[in-house]
Amino acid sequence: MKKIRINSIDSPLELACRDEGAGQPVIFLHAFPLSQQMWNEQAAALSQTNRVITFDWRGFGESELRGDRFAMDLLAEDLAGLMNEIGIDRAVVCGLSMGGYAAFAFYRKYADRVKALILADTRAGADNEEGKRARLEMAELALQSGASAVADRMIHRLLAPVTLQNKPAIAERVRAIIAGNRPETIAAAQRGMAERPDSTELLATISCPTLIIVGSDDALTSPNEAEKMRDQISDAGLVVISEAGHLSNLEQPDDFNRAVANFLKQL
């Protein structure tokens, strides 16, 4: 792990980054409220044939915290700044959940820098009013009761029932990553996601090869949402991962890696 100082839209910022392997660059954007540790299995497997980059979003993991509201456009600028610093003009971008929201924002601004998209366990639509209220409530929960309280609230929605029952080590790993984040970061990200724009109309403009991945038991962004995205993107495929919830890459890493590797070979 190394620290990369980038120039983002608001001010210089230090991000924790992992950069392994050689060849086609693939950048993984982590979910809320985790860190780049969620991509450990993907980095180990896919860096054998590709250049794999993972990093902690601002304030998450080991990255520097800056600001109290992380708009998706701001995260997109952070990604652009990181690519500039590590010498990548164009890459395959893989975003899961919040990482997917940021991937949409990045594509909206920098489509020419995206060779291909992988959208995992995410959705194009904005939050409705109920969803926005829930995010702001969780932001307050983080500030009042800490990151562990957020982990307790979210763990059963992030993971499939079969994962919780049969793979307790994964549940503990997810809980530990969430609990290790700053409450202020969790609150800032929730505020930013609550305000994110609807990307549904963007889907028809996506012209690069796109892979959509979703867990069969994803309670937050369902397979039905994934199918809708697949149908609106001209060059998109869909892989549904069995016995996986919202964190399909962690719950079924071999299946997730296989889907990504097969997609990358076709580029």
Side-chain angles (χ1 to χ4, degrees):
M1 206 75 66
K2 56 185 176 181
K3 299 291 182 71
I4 304 291
R5 194 157 188 83
I6 69 166
N7 289 315
S8 191
I9 195 168
D10 52 353
S11 60
L13 179 73
E14 193 171 76
L15 300 179
C17 176
R18 165 172 48 191
D19 188 346
E20 300 176 349
Q24 178 172 243
V26 186
I27 305 176
F28 289 89
L29 311 180
H30 74 75
F32 170 89
L34 282 81
S35 73
Q36 66 180 311
Q37 291 181 47
M38 68 173 281
W39 297 119
N40 288 352
E41 286 80 4
Q42 284 67 53
L46 297 168
S47 63
Q48 303 302 309
T49 52
N50 297 272
R51 181 182 178 187
V52 172
I53 297 93
T54 72
F55 66 98
D56 294 326
W57 290 118
R58 56 169 62 207
F60 287 94
E62 298 177 26
S63 286
E64 185 178 4
L65 173 61
R66 188 72 55 75
D68 62 0
R69 189 178 303 271
F70 301 164
M72 297 302 103
D73 281 352
L74 179 60
L75 298 188
E77 292 297 341
D78 288 351
L79 173 56
L82 178 67
M83 290 174 68
N84 293 341
E85 288 299 320
I86 62 178
I88 294 177
D89 292 326
R90 195 163 177 254
V92 179
V93 176
C94 174
L96 192 148
S97 193
M98 183 181 77
Y101 306 153
F104 285 132
F106 186 78
Y107 189 88
R108 192 178 284 112
K109 290 189 165 197
Y110 300 106
D112 60 328
R113 303 192 72 173
V114 181
K115 180 176 182 179
L117 272 175
I118 303 172
L119 302 169
D121 298 284
T122 193
R123 60 189 174 93
D127 289 339
N128 59 24
E129 290 306 313
E130 181 182 357
K132 291 177 182 179
R133 284 195 299 271
R135 289 197 187 279
L136 298 180
E137 288 170 3
M138 188 170 289
E140 286 303 311
L141 175 67
L143 295 174
Q144 297 298 322
S145 303
S148 293
V150 173
D152 291 340
R153 176 79 61 88
M154 291 194 68
I155 197 75
H156 292 280
R157 303 189 69 198
L158 291 173
L159 301 174
V162 67
T163 303
L164 292 166
Q165 180 176 345
N166 297 334
K167 299 179 180 179
I170 291 178
E172 287 308 310
R173 177 180 168 191
V174 171
R175 187 184 299 276
I177 295 174
I178 296 172
N181 280 317
R182 305 172 181 91
E184 295 84 0
T185 298
I186 292 173
Q190 285 286 42
R191 296 185 192 110
M193 286 189 288
E195 296 177 352
R196 75 184 189 281
D198 193 304
S199 294
T200 303
E201 292 187 0
L202 179 71
L203 298 177
T205 73
I206 294 175
S207 57
C208 65
T210 302
L211 173 65
I212 297 167
I213 302 176
V214 66
S216 61
D217 303 315
D218 189 336
L220 295 177
T221 52
S222 69
N224 184 53
E225 292 274 2
E227 290 171 2
K228 289 179 182 178
M229 288 196 296
R230 187 269 316 275
D231 292 343
Q232 294 178 73
I233 299 173
S234 61
D235 185 13
L238 171 64
V239 174
V240 180
I241 297 183
S242 298
E243 297 188 348
H246 194 59
L247 301 180
S248 58
N249 73 302
L250 277 169
E251 297 174 76
Q252 299 291 348
D254 291 343
D255 291 345
F256 190 96
N257 292 347
R258 188 178 304 111
V260 172
N262 288 340
F263 177 68
L264 295 176
K265 286 176 186 176
Q266 298 169 21
L267 298 178

